[in-house]
Amino acid sequence: LALPPGLVSLWGRGRLAESRDFLAVAQQQAQHASQPEHRQRPGPAESTRSGDTATDSTCSQGQCGRQPVRMMLMNHVVSVVVGFGCSCAGGCAFFLSIWAAHHTVHTQGGLTDSQGLLISMLTMATVASTIALWSYLCDTYGGSDPFFGVIIGGAFLAVACGPIFAALDAWPGSMPVAVVCLSVCYGLATGLAVGPLYLLAVELFPTEIRVLGFGLSFNLAFSYVGGTASLAAQALEGLSPLAPGFYVAGVGGLSAAVAVVARCLRAKGTLPSYLVTAKAPVDATQDEDLEARV
């Protein structure tokens, strides 16, 4: 099932032009790889910032790919923590939605398996459409700032999940209530929390270590926080039917708080951005730096 869309993505990615910054770094890495004397001589670690971009000179000298994981974590520990914290809400909400649909059908009763399947499918459809629309709105009106989207998504989860689970508990076995609460409201909240995360993971790390950074932040959050969300909900449900909703609300509030702190750090210059938006003007100084590095 995943192979056809994966092949389409691979076909489309092969036709996208690389950024000038990435091409400059790739050319430098090739040059240093062809010169053995540079392999044993690490370059000085410097950071330069121009506009919305920050370039690690260590990476630009071809050393980033040879750094051990420990060194990478030391240089980008703030980005890893921020990425993990912001991704917790989306991972928790997404995977707990599966448990919520199963719980509504088999624990509360009153609904058939086909109705539960319909609720789950409608929830996923709402999540997918919300992600697309929310990403567009963040790009159009939010300046492509992923922290803005994470704050809104986490806050929506924090406010909405308690009433959602309260309504499900008050009207068990009601198909209209399940559709409105889970498929519409909960799916909308989940889409808002998940939508900005991919852009966030891209802009937190430079291209040379972006895959590793993505794995240490987004993937770990979805694996550990999202993967255990159903177990936590099942354990908390024994305490109170509303406890799973408050658990998701708490994680959503945590991610929103992390995003607020991250915006403050970025305003102070502590948390750089490694992404140039399409609307960003070309800086002549940046072009000169790129040409000098090449």
Side-chain angles (χ1 to χ4, degrees):
L1 293 177
L3 182 60
L7 293 176
V8 172
S9 300
L10 183 62
W11 172 82
R13 179 63 185 90
R15 285 157 177 76
L16 291 177
E18 302 288 358
S19 65
R20 295 188 59 189
D21 194 17
F22 181 83
L23 292 176
V25 173
Q27 183 174 354
Q28 288 180 356
Q29 289 179 339
Q31 292 175 351
H32 282 270
S34 62
Q35 300 176 3
E37 65 273 9
H38 290 284
R39 298 179 183 179
Q40 304 298 329
R41 186 177 58 191
E46 299 177 356
S47 294
T48 58
R49 185 173 178 84
S50 176
D52 291 335
T53 63
T55 303
D56 192 339
S57 296
T58 303
C59 294
S60 66
Q61 293 183 10
Q63 302 297 328
C64 205
R66 303 177 181 87
Q67 288 183 350
V69 175
R70 181 175 60 86
M71 185 63 67
M72 179 282 216
L73 290 176
M74 292 176 60
N75 294 336
H76 300 279
V77 62
V78 177
S79 297
V80 172
V81 173
V82 168
F84 181 88
C86 290
S87 302
C88 286
C92 179
F94 182 83
F95 286 101
L96 195 137
S97 65
I98 303 173
W99 174 89
H102 181 272
H103 174 76
T104 301
V105 174
H106 295 282
T107 303
Q108 293 183 339
L111 297 177
T112 64
D113 290 340
S114 60
Q115 289 175 323
L117 178 61
L118 177 60
I119 292 172
S120 298
M121 293 175 63
L122 291 176
T123 303
M124 293 298 107
T126 303
V127 171
S129 58
T130 302
I131 289 175
L133 179 60
W134 185 229
S135 301
Y136 170 79
L137 293 177
C138 289
D139 284 342
T140 305
Y141 302 103
S144 298
D145 181 8
F147 293 124
F148 170 77
V150 173
I151 293 172
I152 299 301
F156 195 92
L157 279 174
V159 173
C161 285
I164 288 174
F165 280 80
L168 291 173
D169 182 63
W171 289 280
S174 174
M175 182 67 175
V177 172
V179 170
V180 172
C181 291
L182 283 181
S183 300
V184 178
C185 296
Y186 191 85
L188 177 64
T190 302
L192 293 177
V194 175
L197 297 182
Y198 299 97
L199 176 61
L200 175 66
V202 166
E203 67 129 40
L204 282 176
F205 304 98
T207 54
E208 295 82 5
I209 55 174
R210 186 162 291 157
V211 175
L212 179 58
F214 187 91
L216 292 176
S217 56
F218 179 92
N219 282 350
L220 281 184
F222 267 65
S223 298
Y224 286 97
V225 180
T228 59
S230 298
L231 296 176
Q234 187 66 32
L236 293 172
E237 199 270 338
L239 302 176
S240 170
L242 307 183
F246 289 118
Y247 172 71
V248 184
V251 177
L254 174 64
S255 292
V258 172
V260 171
V261 174
R263 291 197 77 182
C264 296
L265 293 177
R266 177 154 295 173
K268 295 179 181 179
T270 307
L271 184 65
S273 172
Y274 295 91
L275 184 70
V276 179
T277 63
K279 298 179 182 179
V282 177
D283 192 346
T285 304
Q286 179 183 356
D287 286 345
E288 293 176 359
D289 292 341
L290 290 177
E291 292 175 0
R293 293 203 302 270
V294 174

